[in-house]
Amino acid sequence: MNEIIFSIVMLFQVTNGNVFSTATGFFYESNGRIFLITNRHVVNYSTTDSTAKLVVKIHTNKTDLSKFKTVEIPLVKDRKITWLGDSNPEIDVVAIPMENIDISNTVINTLSNKNFPPQGLELEVGSELLVIGYPRGFTDKINQLPITKNCIVSTPIEIPFDGKPYFLMDGNLFPGMSGSPVITKASSTHNINGGISFSSSTQFFFMGIHSASFYKEIGIKENPIYVLENGEIKIKGFNNEPVKENLSLQTCWYNGIIEELTTPKIK
């Protein structure tokens, strides 16, 4: 189970040489190729920024986790974006091919469709899931390890929520965890097709990728507009601003989206 930490990295979003935010990504293998998976909204600034790139620190030693290699991943090359996204821009998942990125002498594990749940796996509303990433860029400063947080299934997994290819989870997730993989809790027993399946070792299943939290507008607040007149601060008027409440509901985009992005299309 701990081996999954070598597939997950903190993403530093860079423009003009400056880091402006962080997110999460993970490595995925498909048809012998390695991809970095994250959310579309994490890389979308590259559509208007030719300097856009991601910077990641990848472990180079399994026994000394303080050893890293810093790797730069351009999001634009020859005026074209380097990432692969769905033709529907609302699908918040992208894959970045790693063929031209120097990841030699690094320790990388990958998720793949081999980690998908088997047919008939029974995960009901209320089942526990784990989301692994970097909340607000928080991590062990020495070892750069991702943080695991608990969620539960909030809507039936097999029913796309609002007609979109994701289901909802309930949990206390934060910005910076965009792009985190969502997995089942490791276990040696699983409910499959109404029965219990046993394995000789603990096993987790890769369910999808976290993207965003849901908020509900619950009112309007008035913010005063101040001006300085004749040496005095006065209120000129008010701006209306919506008040939003975090519902602690999170998206989990289906794992199959990644396979669609990373599998070569037959022409």
Side-chain angles (χ1 to χ4, degrees):
M1 175 66 182
N2 285 341
E3 291 293 306
I4 195 174
I5 66 174
F6 295 110
S7 67
I8 303 168
V9 288
M10 188 189 304
L11 307 180
F12 296 89
Q13 296 162 278
V14 178
T15 177
N16 291 314
N18 297 313
V19 176
F20 68 89
S21 192
T22 63
T24 300
F26 58 93
F27 295 108
Y28 186 91
E29 184 176 356
S30 176
N31 299 295
R33 302 172 67 196
I34 295 178
F35 297 84
L36 177 66
I37 308 299
T38 190
N39 293 143
R40 192 182 194 117
H41 76 257
V42 170
V43 301
N44 214 35
Y45 71 105
S46 62
T47 58
T48 57
D49 182 356
S50 62
T51 71
K53 62 183 174 183
L54 300 176
V55 176
V56 300
K57 292 182 178 181
I58 305 177
H59 289 95
T60 57
N61 191 314
K62 273 193 173 184
T63 58
D64 184 353
L65 297 180
S66 67
K67 304 293 185 183
F68 300 94
K69 179 176 181 176
T70 299
V71 176
E72 296 187 3
I73 304 172
L75 297 177
V76 181
K77 186 176 182 180
D78 298 329
R79 299 183 179 181
K80 296 181 179 179
I81 57 174
T82 60
W83 43 271
L84 307 174
D86 194 270
S87 58
N88 179 357
E90 290 189 355
I91 294 182
D92 201 7
V93 182
V94 297
I96 306 171
M98 296 294 291
E99 284 96 341
N100 298 317
I101 308 299
D102 183 10
I103 54 175
S104 59
N105 302 314
T106 60
V107 179
I108 288 179
N109 282 346
T110 57
L111 295 173
S112 73
N113 60 9
K114 294 179 182 178
N115 301 113
F116 285 12
Q119 289 288 334
L121 178 69
E122 296 177 0
L123 280 180
E124 300 177 349
V125 170
S127 296
E128 186 175 3
L129 297 173
L130 303 179
V131 184
I132 312 174
Y134 296 89
R136 297 195 185 279
F138 182 75
T139 183
D140 172 347
K141 295 181 179 64
I142 296 174
N143 301 307
Q144 296 279 303
L145 297 177
I147 307 297
T148 300
K149 294 184 71 68
N150 287 311
C151 284
I152 62 171
V153 178
S154 290
T155 60
I157 291 177
E158 68 278 7
I159 302 176
F161 185 79
D162 223 8
K164 298 177 181 179
Y166 59 71
F167 63 92
L168 295 190
M169 308 176 292
D170 176 80
N172 190 24
L173 305 184
F174 294 89
M177 297 192 74
S178 294
S180 296
V182 179
I183 65 173
T184 61
K185 197 171 183 179
S187 176
S188 58
T189 61
H190 302 279
N191 295 328
I192 298 177
N193 293 322
I196 298 178
S197 173
F198 297 89
S199 58
S200 58
S201 60
T202 59
Q203 187 178 16
F204 70 85
F205 299 115
F206 170 52
M207 303 304 298
I209 175 172
H210 168 58
S211 168
S213 302
F214 279 89
Y215 292 78
K216 176 72 174 178
E217 188 172 316
I218 59 174
I220 298 291
K221 68 177 179 178
E222 292 185 331
N223 290 325
I225 302 170
Y226 295 102
V227 295
L228 179 63
E229 290 183 357
N230 301 320
E232 293 187 21
I233 298 293
K234 298 181 179 180
I235 295 178
K236 182 181 180 181
F238 295 88
N239 278 331
N240 289 332
E241 179 182 332
V243 178
K244 296 181 179 181
E245 185 175 51
N246 190 336
L247 300 178
S248 295
L249 292 175
Q250 322 291 340
T251 55
C252 179
W253 295 86
Y254 293 146
N255 50 23
I257 296 172
I258 300 174
E259 277 295 292
E260 293 175 6
L261 293 177
T262 58
T263 301
K265 304 298 186 291
I266 300 176
K267 298 181 178 179

